[in-house]
Amino acid sequence: MILWLLVRRSLRQHLLSTVVTALSLALAGGLLMSVWVVKRQARATFTGQTGAWDAVLGARGAKLQLVLNALFHLEASPGNVAFSDFQTLSSNRVVALAIPIAVGDNYLGYRIVGTLTNLFTEAEAAPGRRFRLVAGGRWFEDGYREAVVGSFVAQRLGLKPGDTFKPYHGLNFNPKEQHEDEYVVTGILEPSNTPADRVLWIPLAGLQNMSGHSAATVSDVSAVLVKLRSAVAGQQLDMLYNKQGDRLTFAWPLGTVLAQLFDKMGWFDQVLELVAYLVALVAAGSVLASIYNSLSARRRDLAILRALGARRILVFASIILEATSIAAFGMVLAWGLYAVIMGAVSAVIRAQTGVVLDPWAWDPVLVIAPLALVVLGALAGVLPAIKAYSNPVAENLAPES
Amino acid sequence: MALLEIENLRKSFRTPYGQLLPVVDVPGFRLSAGEQVALSGPSGTGKTTFLNLIAGILTGDSGHILLDGQNMTTLSEPDRDRHRAAVIGYIFQTFNLLQGFTCLENVLLGMSFGPGADRVRARSLLERVGLGDRLDYFPRQLSTGQQQRVAVARALANQPKLVLADEPTGNLDPTNAAQSLALIRELCAEQGSALLLVSHDPAVLASFPRRESLATLNQASRTEVAL
């Protein structure tokens, strides 16, 4: 009670430095938690997105680029695959489902992907979850200039069934490169929290035959999404396309391919983590400096307390508790900062990739990081506490002139 | 039996030039329970040091201070702190109120290191010294005389057996000084507390039946004067 009263009053007397110090600790805590959770969730969510598919077949090139292009609608396509290659693959007994996709056009910056209707009717948007349309819509029909629009695109562009649009050539929006073909929106996908939300889907033939596209490649596709009957099938096709063949790339297993992405970004994670640790150290230093400096002004108060009968250990404990309280206050702010950072980061990741992070998902680091920083704050209080502990009473009882 | 008994108490400080300067050298001093004694002496004769030695804030180089049955010179520091909080009430010349705490909290703090904070008693003491309507005021919001009265209330809050007052009226105007002195003596008498009051004000000294001169008690002081 007495200890808490002493600490409360001291914090109030040095309110500005208390708040500034707590804010610097909050920054460290918020950064640490955000970096950790984004890293972990991004890895889990990205690799989880591949769950509906086992492999991707594409032109000879980097597997990672192929997967990012075919599944996440990022990057450029590494090249084309002849339609006959798709037919050969889909007729292979070890393949459960093969769906071709074609890319190369956009509408106001959002990618247009040509595919077959069985993508929606036979494949899954995410493991255990079928594609579903918002009420009032229907799937497009192959052979018609119709489109099904991902939920994110529909929301951003305000598209609804019955609306029409004219695609633009290329993956990036250029107002001068509009096609003549006009498409009618037949349905809007329900949000699936997958990259499918960020795409406008049209019939494969529609994209292949878009006005202005090369006649030589009219039947080609950009990639083939593959669902296998077994893991052994993956090894067989890996051998067939990657080791024996030299025209095509078979990206399998997808988790391993995507792990390369995170391995490549590992240094970035480490830099961010290092920055967060440095901020934490600086913040702990500021706790130390703030309390240590305030002790000069409080020498007389401490001497008065001692003269009234307060034991040295109480003075020591009050300083440690003060440092701990600043750190604890900082950690309350850190959770708020974490929510802000995660809200912003998840919005950016969703806008760029369609992958949705959950800022409110439980992660042990949300408790471990604040606890560690509170302990660090308490440790930062030890040196000032020792100084307060050894504050000579008689010398400091008289007011400073 | 005396409440306070001092024998051969010596205390020296080292000067910046490395020499030992004797400040207190008192062969003997006694104070009975409930007794009120005024201690006089010119500035620099070790009056405050003498009080701090009795309170256990400073430790002597040699000698004994027997206070309420406990030898302050052999007690450990925590035990001295505990004994000081339980037995002594200290009124400082500069009041030494904690600026971040209200009047009531200042009194409660003084109590909390002794027998325990008693809000009712703290309030009644502040009412007794005329500050019943200033309980939640901070020291800076009070006049010098009012601050002095808070310091008096704090010193007497634990019903100490001995009140040490270090020139308690030194910062007050004559009217406030007289009122304050009367209040301190009255409260000590009411509670049965002994009072050892340091002052160099002849009017204050004259009002005490027993007056001691530290210059007479203190051999160190005599030495210093002789030098």
Side-chain angles (χ1 to χ4, degrees):
Chain A
M1 155 72 188
I2 176 88
L3 198 60
W4 184 233
L5 179 67
L6 290 173
V7 169
R8 233 174 46 212
R9 285 305 152 90
S10 175
L11 291 176
R12 203 170 72 176
Q13 273 185 295
H14 312 102
L15 191 60
L16 184 64
S17 69
T18 298
V19 171
V20 170
T21 311
L23 276 175
S24 63
L25 274 165
L27 185 64
L31 272 177
L32 262 176
M33 289 189 284
S34 306
V35 168
W36 207 276
V37 171
V38 166
K39 188 173 75 171
R40 209 146 35 191
Q41 275 200 26
R43 191 171 194 127
T45 316
F46 265 83
T47 47
Q49 296 295 334
T50 65
W53 300 102
D54 296 318
V56 177
L57 181 72
R60 199 70 174 174
K63 289 179 182 176
L64 182 59
Q65 184 189 356
L66 176 63
V67 172
L68 287 177
N69 180 261
L71 290 178
F72 292 93
H73 311 295
L74 301 167
E75 299 264 348
S77 167
N80 288 343
V81 177
F83 198 74
S84 57
D85 286 322
F86 156 65
Q87 287 172 315
T88 306
L89 177 71
S90 63
S91 61
N92 194 318
R93 283 181 301 127
V94 299
V95 172
L97 181 65
I99 306 281
I101 61 165
V103 296
D105 291 317
N106 77 90
Y107 179 61
L108 301 177
Y110 292 98
R111 290 194 182 195
I112 294 173
V113 179
T115 191
L116 303 175
T117 41
N118 57 350
L119 173 80
F120 304 113
T121 54
E122 293 179 40
E124 291 177 328
R129 190 185 183 287
R130 293 274 174 190
F131 284 100
R132 283 194 293 266
L133 284 171
V134 172
R138 62 170 176 79
W139 304 118
F140 60 67
E141 283 189 33
D142 292 327
Y144 288 85
R145 286 181 179 154
E146 294 180 340
V148 166
V149 180
S151 60
F152 186 77
V153 180
Q155 182 204 334
R156 285 300 171 96
L157 301 182
L159 291 174
K160 56 188 184 306
D163 288 349
T164 58
F165 66 91
K166 287 183 179 177
Y168 293 84
H169 187 64
L171 293 176
N172 299 313
F173 174 56
N174 180 350
K176 293 176 186 166
E177 302 228 15
Q178 193 167 30
H179 290 293
E180 289 303 314
D181 316 48
E182 187 170 79
Y183 281 77
V184 180
V185 177
T186 60
I188 307 296
L189 283 176
E190 274 187 9
S192 63
N193 291 339
T194 69
D197 296 345
R198 297 174 53 252
V199 171
L200 297 97
W201 301 91
I202 65 170
L204 182 66
L207 197 128
Q208 290 170 325
N209 295 301
M210 196 82 72
S211 57
H213 281 188
S214 166
T217 58
V218 73
S219 64
D220 286 356
V221 298
S222 302
V224 183
L225 310 179
V226 184
K227 187 84 183 159
L228 299 169
R229 291 195 192 282
S230 68
V232 179
Q235 289 171 343
Q236 288 173 356
L237 294 174
D238 180 43
M239 179 66 75
L240 178 67
Y241 288 108
N242 296 333
K243 299 192 170 75
Q244 294 170 351
D246 59 1
R247 285 190 308 111
L248 299 168
T249 294
F250 187 70
W252 174 90
L254 293 177
T256 309
V257 174
L258 273 174
Q260 290 172 14
L261 174 68
F262 290 94
D263 291 344
K264 281 179 184 173
M265 288 168 62
W267 66 270
F268 185 65
D269 290 341
Q270 284 172 352
V271 168
L272 276 181
E273 258 179 64
L274 188 66
V275 168
Y277 286 133
L278 283 176
V279 173
L281 271 181
V282 171
S286 72
V287 172
L288 190 154
S290 153
I291 298 180
Y292 199 88
N293 290 339
S294 75
L295 281 182
S296 305
R298 290 154 64 188
R299 277 186 310 199
R300 187 164 173 229
D301 280 4
L302 295 174
I304 294 169
L305 285 171
R306 295 273 291 111
L308 291 176
R311 262 144 267 165
R312 281 183 194 274
I313 193 69
L314 181 95
V315 172
F316 182 88
S318 75
I319 300 294
I320 296 288
L321 185 60
E322 187 174 328
T324 310
S325 302
I326 293 173
F329 176 47
M331 288 312 101
V332 172
L333 299 178
W335 278 312
L337 192 65
Y338 164 80
V340 171
I341 293 174
M342 283 300 289
V345 168
S346 55
V348 169
I349 289 181
R350 187 181 179 201
Q352 296 299 318
T353 68
V355 171
V356 176
L357 303 185
D358 181 4
W360 312 114
W362 159 249
D363 192 302
V365 79
L366 296 178
V367 170
I368 292 168
L371 272 181
L373 279 167
V374 168
V375 170
L376 190 66
L379 287 176
V382 169
L383 190 63
I386 290 172
K387 192 187 178 192
Y389 181 90
S390 50
N391 185 48
V393 180
E395 282 174 33
N396 290 302
L397 274 176
E400 285 178 21
S401 52
Chain B
M1 187 183 158
L3 173 70
L4 174 68
E5 207 168 337
I6 293 173
E7 276 178 28
N8 299 321
L9 182 63
R10 290 194 182 88
K11 177 71 179 174
S12 304
F13 289 109
R14 199 168 285 282
T15 69
Y17 308 105
Q19 295 161 312
L20 272 181
L21 176 70
V23 176
V24 171
D25 185 359
V26 176
F29 178 79
R30 289 168 68 91
L31 185 70
S32 302
E35 193 180 6
Q36 298 194 349
V37 177
L39 199 62
S40 64
S43 295
T45 51
K47 297 188 296 292
T48 301
T49 302
F50 185 58
L51 294 190
N52 283 344
L53 286 166
I54 294 170
I57 291 171
L58 288 175
T59 49
D61 302 331
S62 60
H64 295 287
I65 302 169
L66 208 59
L67 175 64
D68 194 34
Q70 296 280 340
N71 189 344
M72 294 293 275
T73 52
T74 55
L75 287 179
S76 65
E77 189 186 65
D79 286 339
R80 280 205 313 276
D81 294 336
R82 213 169 283 132
H83 198 52
R84 175 167 64 251
V87 176
I88 292 176
Y90 206 143
I91 304 169
F92 303 90
Q93 183 181 1
T94 49
F95 319 140
N96 280 346
L97 298 178
L98 291 157
Q99 298 300 313
F101 296 79
T102 63
C103 296
L104 184 63
E105 287 167 343
N106 263 284
V107 177
L108 286 169
L109 264 176
M111 297 169 101
S112 60
F113 301 123
D118 180 345
R119 197 168 273 269
V120 176
R121 177 165 165 74
R123 276 172 180 274
S124 75
L125 259 173
L126 283 166
E127 279 163 13
R128 177 73 179 78
V129 299
L131 293 172
D133 57 345
R134 298 282 192 278
L135 298 179
D136 296 323
Y137 279 47
F138 287 92
R140 64 177 177 277
Q141 296 170 311
L142 301 175
S143 69
T144 312
Q146 287 171 327
Q147 289 184 41
Q148 164 71 308
R149 282 185 268 154
V150 177
V152 171
R154 185 179 66 184
L156 287 150
N158 289 341
Q159 292 183 284
K161 292 186 175 169
L162 172 63
V163 172
L164 302 173
D166 187 4
E167 304 204 34
T169 57
N171 285 343
L172 303 178
D173 60 71
T175 312
N176 263 315
Q179 286 174 351
S180 183
L181 180 68
L183 182 67
I184 293 168
R185 296 192 62 184
E186 203 177 300
L187 284 170
C188 284
E190 274 174 24
Q191 296 191 168
S193 307
L195 173 65
L196 180 59
L197 184 142
V198 166
S199 178
H200 53 247
D201 181 347
V204 171
L205 296 169
S207 67
F208 278 77
R210 181 182 163 194
R211 295 180 290 277
E212 297 281 357
S213 162
L214 198 64
T216 313
L217 288 173
N218 194 356
Q219 293 177 354
S221 170
R222 285 202 295 277
T223 311
E224 194 185 23
V225 171
L227 284 170

